């Protein structure tokens, strides 16, 4: 671990990864993780055994198209060259560094974030998904997205989300503020693709997947939209619908003020 008495340079990384081959973001002793894979790649470029800190700890199987992390390096890299070198060392892992920017030492990918966005993808058709089957949840029964949106509106705002919180969640409080939920549908020849986007400053463990599973019950007609309100007010995990599978979930965006990637990053 880097000696803090030495001079170091902090870099923000925007990272994309396919979660299918990883046990999640967080470093683990006996399983591959995104954090550890990034650290191993960067350790080949910097002697300080760098530690990578992410904006969110995604679960096993969860993907990211806009994860943000920061890392302290002894060498002052040109951001473009660091991105290229990191991606070369990451091969053949399913991780790509999309952007790099040098940032102030006070910047933290985790605590400086002002908004996080998760997107959940559903393939809604009778036939199974042959291409990219680990990149979306396959739901065979026809979903009513209007009813799902009716249920989703009942969850926006500040609430006690105990019902939609994993039993092992370590957050100090179940109270969170969901800034928005959006549902977009693209019609296909044999069905549709549904994307549900969630925005909040922070989330509880498995909150999004718990909500998605509940909204799918509404879309199938097994629940009325009003029952989402009942489940929320119950403040009991037993009132929750099924938890949606991990492979449909993406950490799609993390926002900061100011945006660290607006300043000095150049694509070359």
């Amino acid at each position: 671990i880097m000696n803090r008495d030495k001079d170091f340079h902090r870099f923000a990384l925007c990272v994309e990864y396919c979660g299918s081959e990883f046990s999640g973001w967080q470093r683990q002793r006996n399983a591959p993780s995104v954090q550890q894979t990034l650290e191993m790649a960067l350790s080949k470029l910097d002697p300080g055994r760098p530690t990578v800190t992410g904006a969110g700890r995604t679960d096993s199987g969860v993907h990211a198209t806009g994860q943000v992390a920061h890392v302290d390096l002894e060498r002052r890299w040109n951001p473009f060259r660091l991105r290229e070198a990191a991606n070369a060392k990451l091969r053949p892992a399913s991780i790509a560094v999309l952007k790099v920017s040098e940032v102030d030492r006070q910047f933290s990918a985790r605590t400086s974030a002002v908004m996080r966005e998760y997107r959940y993808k559903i393939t809604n058709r009778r036939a199974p998904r042959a291409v990219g089957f680990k990149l979306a949840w396959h739901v065979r029964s026809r979903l009513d997205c209007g009813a799902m949106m009716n249920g989703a509106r009942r969850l926006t705002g500040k609430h006690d989300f105990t019902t939609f919180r994993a039993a092992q969640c370590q957050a100090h409080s179940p109270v969170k503020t969901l800034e928005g939920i959006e549902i977009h549908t693209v019609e296909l020849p044999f069905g549709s693709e549904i994307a549900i986007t969630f925005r909040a400053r922070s989330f509880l463990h498995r909150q999004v997947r718990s909500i998605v599973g509940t909204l799918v019950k509404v879309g199938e007609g097994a629940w009325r939209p009003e029952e989402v309100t009942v489940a929320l007010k119950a403040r009991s995990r037993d009132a929750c619908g099924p938890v949606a599978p991990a492979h449909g979930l993406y950490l799609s965006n993390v926002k900061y003020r100011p945006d660290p990637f607006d300043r000095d990053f150049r694509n070359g």
Side-chain angles (χ1 to χ4, degrees):
I1 299 174
M2 182 176 295
N3 183 347
R4 291 297 177 178
D5 293 333
K6 290 185 177 181
D7 191 24
F8 67 90
H9 306 279
R10 180 162 292 186
F11 295 89
L13 316 174
C14 181
V15 184
E16 174 183 88
Y17 51 85
C18 177
S20 304
E21 64 186 66
F22 299 104
S23 59
W25 167 267
Q26 191 170 8
R27 188 190 311 107
Q28 298 183 36
R29 181 168 296 179
N30 298 312
S33 70
V34 179
Q35 182 186 33
Q36 181 184 33
T37 305
L38 275 168
E39 289 173 348
M40 289 176 63
L42 291 169
S43 69
K44 298 174 183 177
L45 304 174
D46 193 89
R49 295 176 60 196
T51 298
V52 176
T53 301
R57 296 178 178 179
T58 53
D59 283 343
S60 177
V62 175
H63 317 292
T65 54
Q67 168 76 283
V68 176
H70 76 257
V71 63
D72 296 334
L73 302 178
E74 292 185 10
R75 177 178 170 183
R76 187 169 194 175
W77 285 82
N78 170 280
F80 169 77
R81 292 186 180 279
L82 178 57
R83 181 187 69 174
E84 298 301 290
N87 283 329
K89 298 300 183 184
L90 282 165
R91 297 188 187 103
S94 299
I95 305 175
V97 177
L98 306 178
K99 302 178 185 178
V100 176
S101 181
E102 186 171 359
V103 293
D104 297 333
R105 295 186 183 193
Q106 291 73 34
F107 173 84
S108 167
R110 186 175 64 85
T111 61
S112 299
V114 298
M115 189 72 67
R116 291 169 174 83
E117 179 182 282
Y118 280 89
R119 184 164 296 150
Y120 198 94
K121 296 183 180 181
I122 298 171
T123 297
N124 190 205
R125 68 184 192 189
R126 296 294 297 178
R129 182 173 178 140
V131 177
F133 66 95
K134 290 186 177 180
L135 301 178
W137 181 18
H138 174 224
V139 177
R140 298 180 65 197
S141 53
R142 184 72 175 176
L143 297 177
D144 181 343
C145 289
M148 292 170 67
M149 195 65 241
N150 189 344
R153 290 192 191 100
R154 301 164 188 273
L155 299 174
T156 56
K158 186 175 182 179
H159 302 286
D160 181 327
F161 283 99
T162 296
T163 297
F164 303 99
R165 176 189 193 184
Q168 63 270 40
C169 180
Q170 297 178 358
H172 295 301
S173 170
V175 177
K176 295 291 179 181
T177 301
L178 263 180
E179 299 291 345
I181 305 176
E182 298 174 1
I183 300 178
H184 297 283
T185 305
V186 177
E187 295 299 326
L188 302 174
F190 300 102
S192 61
E193 296 282 355
I194 301 170
I196 310 175
T197 302
F198 298 79
R199 291 188 302 276
R201 187 182 184 96
S202 62
F203 291 87
L204 300 167
H205 189 202
R206 295 189 181 167
Q207 181 181 358
V208 171
R209 289 167 56 195
S210 298
I211 291 174
V212 169
T214 297
L215 293 180
V216 164
K217 297 298 286 185
V218 173
E220 292 174 329
W223 285 35
R224 300 187 311 277
E226 298 81 12
E227 291 181 83
V228 176
T229 302
V230 175
L232 176 68
K233 291 183 176 180
R235 300 178 184 177
S236 168
R237 189 68 181 163
D238 293 336
C240 184
V243 178
H247 62 262
L249 183 60
Y250 297 72
L251 175 53
S252 54
N253 195 13
V254 186
K255 294 184 179 181
Y256 302 87
R257 296 194 188 99
D259 185 339
F261 302 109
D262 278 349
R263 290 187 281 177
D264 63 353
F265 178 75
R266 293 181 294 276
N267 285 314

